[in-house]
Amino acid sequence: MENGTVSDRLETYKARFDELDRTIARAMERWSIPMLRVSVAVVFIWFGALKVLDVSPAAELVASTVYVVPPEVFVPVLGVWEMLIGLFLLYRPLIRAGIFLLFLQLPGTFLPIVLLPEVVFTTVPYALTVEGQYIVKNLVIIGAALAIGSTVRSNAQR
């Protein structure tokens, strides 16, 4: 086999791979933010509905960190709040409002780290309980909200 032939084949394979890679990257660019919006919306609607229906495994944790409002009032109101966040993220004109509600709600989700470290950690400050993992995953939601928020203006407006 000649060197030129092997080299030509490698170049052909490289060109095919590059085109496939470009196609996949374009599809990911097109669908990533819409998929992210729907995913975050589903999480908020689902978790919120669990609170409204009084079947949320997080209700006790929420109730343990809020002292001002009775839990039987606060937990369902929080659930409705979360459902609104999810619904607003699904409807493009309301994304800003959804992100605003999300950023008002999210700091409260970190309260157990300060108020109930014995519930959040098996070993402070690094070994998390299941509840602690549930709380820390909100960092991903913050990143997702920032990514979604970066798209609320059209390219012409940016």
Side-chain angles (χ1 to χ4, degrees):
M1 197 181 256
E2 277 184 2
N3 242 0
T5 307
V6 171
S7 179
D8 290 344
R9 283 186 182 167
L10 286 175
E11 285 301 314
T12 300
Y13 290 140
K14 183 182 180 304
R16 287 181 185 166
F17 176 80
D18 284 346
E19 184 52 39
L20 176 63
D21 188 53
R22 274 190 221 88
T23 301
I24 292 169
R26 280 192 299 268
M28 291 171 69
E29 182 178 9
R30 172 162 171 65
W31 292 106
S32 59
I33 296 297
M35 181 65 190
L36 191 58
R37 279 178 47 213
V38 170
S39 299
V40 173
V42 166
V43 167
F44 272 95
I45 293 168
W46 196 333
F47 287 15
L50 293 176
K51 289 176 182 75
V52 170
L53 298 171
D54 196 25
V55 292
S56 172
E60 188 178 325
L61 183 61
V62 171
S64 300
T65 57
V66 177
Y67 308 106
V68 180
V69 181
E72 60 274 5
V73 173
F74 184 78
V75 173
V77 168
L78 178 61
V80 170
W81 185 289
E82 290 176 349
M83 291 171 67
L84 285 173
I85 291 169
L87 291 170
F88 287 2
L89 290 176
L90 291 176
Y91 185 56
R92 189 154 180 74
L94 295 176
I95 291 174
R96 283 183 180 90
I99 290 174
F100 178 71
L101 292 178
L102 186 150
F103 277 103
L104 289 177
Q105 181 259 355
L106 272 177
T109 66
F110 291 99
L111 278 177
I113 294 173
V114 176
L115 300 177
L116 302 167
E118 69 281 359
V119 173
V120 176
F121 298 100
T122 58
T123 305
V124 178
Y126 59 87
L128 296 166
T129 62
V130 171
E131 291 84 353
Q133 292 175 39
Y134 179 82
I135 291 165
V136 171
K137 67 95 178 89
N138 287 322
L139 294 172
V140 175
I141 291 177
I142 291 169
L146 291 171
I148 294 165
S150 74
T151 68
V152 297
R153 292 183 161 270
S154 70
N155 286 338
Q157 294 173 319
R158 287 185 206 163

